[in-house]
Amino acid sequence: MTQDQVDIAIIGAGPVGAALALALDQAGRSVLLVDRAALPPMEHPDFDGRAYAIAAGSRILLDDAGLWDILPFAPCPIEQIRVSDGKPGRPASPLFLHFDHRDVGTDPFGWIVEARALRMAINRRLADSGIVLHAPATAHVTRHEDHAMIAVSGAGTYRARLVIAADGKMSSLRAEAGIAVTRFSYRQSAVVCAISHERPHGNVALEHFLPGGPFAQLPMSDADNAHISAIVFTESHAIAQRLATMDDTRFTTEVARRLGSHLGKIRLVGKRWTYPLSALHAHRYFATRLALVGDSAHGIHPIAGQGLNLGLRDALALTRLLATADDPGSRTLLARYQQARRPDNLMMLAATDTLDRLFSTNLPPIRLARDLGLAAVHRMPRLKRAFMRTAMGLGGRG
């Protein structure tokens, strides 16, 4: 096989596209990977506060890609999750929901992985792989019934039997294929940072529902003898903008008002980030010689930390289907991929959208109903196990 002919071309070298490329390379497929950005600048050498929640079921792809064992900074297991309701500056409601991973097995619910750690592992593995990588570069794709042609800027043209769009929410490949998208606007922004805190987190994650939106404290591995957690919370665009421009002292005070005092004194570590929130879902996941994965196919509210996990599970499903396929771009195979992934992604879109709309309100009757609902689920072991297995990416049965 010559260099200008590959089995599969992947456009987009973010976590989903790159992990998929590496897993396919491990499975013996020849892969072309193209990204608009240069990869070294995507690798942040300093701690910047950003992290991913990797569910147990999604870690499988990172194992298949040879990434998990070479992460340069240890992931932190999530062993317990506490879900509560309240208002900033006030104690949480006494009615809550608590999950313990031991109720469904020995594995943790998932792990918190530093964003820079995953990027560094990806770049290291790409350098050692057989993948044909072009970054920074642009790709012009022309699709035909039995193949696709990928013209890469400054590198010539490649022929592939399948093109995978991993090029994000504004996917040009999806648009060129005429695949329609339904979009949701949340009129909210996510605020992301990391904090050090006086007391250990005990590998417990907090999901605290507030009138402005959900607030999450995610346990990270200790660094420099300090206890560290990632913080992700949502507020209206206006409040998020004010938070973005506050000095560190005032911002840390605002975080503490939402977090509570259970971790003791806190201090901001690294940068803070704000992202406008929206959701989308592609009406189809494939076209002729084209498959959509990750954000090019779907995007959801970050309320449950499942966005990247859904993309990784897309990639895992596609890897499994492509492992032994005679024709990786056949319509039958791509239809099977859509059938495997679309129901899961639609269910999570509906669930996160409903949770955000239910909990991002301060109306007393609704607050009372949701508090009672949390307390009721806490007392229903079978239903709790189903929720836990879903969060772990292992299905809802348990």
Side-chain angles (χ1 to χ4, degrees):
M1 180 171 290
T2 60
Q3 190 183 42
D4 61 356
Q5 182 171 323
V6 294
D7 292 331
I8 298 157
I10 300 175
I11 311 303
V16 172
L20 174 56
L22 289 165
L24 291 172
D25 179 63
Q26 290 282 88
R29 289 293 191 182
S30 57
V31 180
L32 166 70
L33 180 62
V34 184
D35 198 284
R36 288 181 175 272
L39 298 193
M42 295 167 70
E43 180 179 307
H44 299 280
D46 299 318
F47 181 79
D48 66 8
R50 291 182 291 184
Y52 300 120
I54 304 296
S58 307
R59 174 184 161 171
I60 299 169
L61 180 76
L62 301 185
D63 282 326
D64 288 352
L67 293 168
W68 192 261
D69 289 339
I70 65 167
L71 290 170
F73 310 111
C76 181
I78 304 172
E79 296 178 343
Q80 298 178 62
I81 302 172
R82 185 181 180 93
V83 182
S84 58
D85 187 26
K87 294 182 178 180
R90 299 185 185 180
S93 167
L95 303 176
F96 63 89
L97 182 56
H98 187 87
F99 298 111
D100 190 313
H101 77 107
R102 291 170 294 189
D103 291 337
V104 289
T106 58
D107 291 335
F109 292 115
W111 296 263
I112 301 300
V113 176
E114 284 191 43
R116 63 170 179 159
L118 184 55
R119 187 73 249 171
M120 291 164 75
I122 285 171
N123 288 357
R124 176 180 164 187
R125 284 284 295 113
L126 286 174
D128 296 335
S129 72
I131 294 168
V132 181
L133 173 65
H134 294 293
T138 57
H140 176 71
V141 176
T142 307
R143 295 176 295 108
H144 307 277
E145 281 300 318
D146 63 348
H147 72 282
M149 301 300 294
I150 305 94
V152 180
S153 58
T157 300
Y158 295 82
R159 180 187 176 106
R161 291 188 287 175
L162 173 66
V163 176
I164 298 174
D167 53 343
K169 291 182 178 180
M170 304 306 294
S171 171
S172 59
L173 288 174
R174 182 187 65 217
E176 290 165 6
I179 297 175
V181 173
T182 297
R183 297 181 185 272
F184 303 80
S185 176
Y186 287 111
R187 293 176 291 182
Q188 294 173 318
S189 290
V191 181
V192 179
C193 66
I195 58 169
S196 65
H197 38 86
E198 183 180 8
R199 302 186 189 116
H201 48 57
N203 296 345
V204 179
L206 169 69
E207 187 80 36
H208 191 39
F209 290 107
L210 301 169
F215 176 98
Q217 170 254 318
L218 305 170
M220 298 182 71
S221 297
D222 290 350
D224 298 324
N225 298 314
H227 306 303
I228 306 292
S229 287
I231 300 294
V232 181
F233 63 105
T234 59
E235 285 288 355
S236 68
H237 294 314
I239 292 177
Q241 186 57 42
R242 289 201 294 272
L243 290 166
T245 57
M246 286 179 180
D247 61 46
D248 287 356
T249 300
R250 289 180 61 205
F251 177 78
T252 303
T253 299
E254 290 299 320
V255 172
R257 290 183 67 234
R258 292 160 174 81
L259 176 64
S261 59
H262 66 287
L263 294 178
K265 295 180 181 179
I266 67 171
R267 180 176 63 85
L268 183 66
V269 180
K271 302 177 182 179
R272 69 186 94 152
W273 311 81
T274 58
Y275 304 96
L277 297 182
S278 63
L280 65 86
H281 202 91
H283 294 191
R284 292 182 288 121
Y285 284 11
F286 71 96
T288 301
R289 298 287 156 180
L290 176 70
L292 310 182
V293 298
D295 287 350
S296 68
H298 47 77
I300 63 173
H301 194 284
I303 192 168
Q306 290 294 315
L308 176 60
N309 288 291
L310 293 181
L312 294 175
R313 294 204 287 273
D314 291 346
L316 180 62
L318 200 49
T319 300
R320 297 289 191 261
L321 288 168
L322 292 172
T324 58
D326 292 331
D327 182 358
S330 74
R331 190 171 189 87
T332 300
L333 183 146
L334 298 181
R336 287 172 60 197
Y337 162 65
Q338 176 173 282
Q339 185 179 22
R341 291 301 306 144
R342 201 160 185 267
D344 182 29
N345 293 333
L346 280 171
M347 180 189 73
M348 195 60 71
L349 171 64
T352 53
D353 183 74
T354 300
L355 282 172
D356 179 65
R357 296 180 193 281
L358 174 64
F359 282 93
S360 296
T361 179
N362 203 28
L363 294 175
I366 295 179
R367 290 195 67 210
L368 176 61
R370 71 196 184 205
D371 285 356
L372 292 173
L374 290 177
V377 173
H378 185 64
R379 292 170 173 81
M380 301 172 71
R382 292 188 65 183
L383 185 56
K384 279 181 68 176
R385 284 196 296 271
F387 284 151
M388 286 187 275
R389 289 184 61 82
T390 298
M392 294 170 76
L394 301 175
R397 299 174 65 184

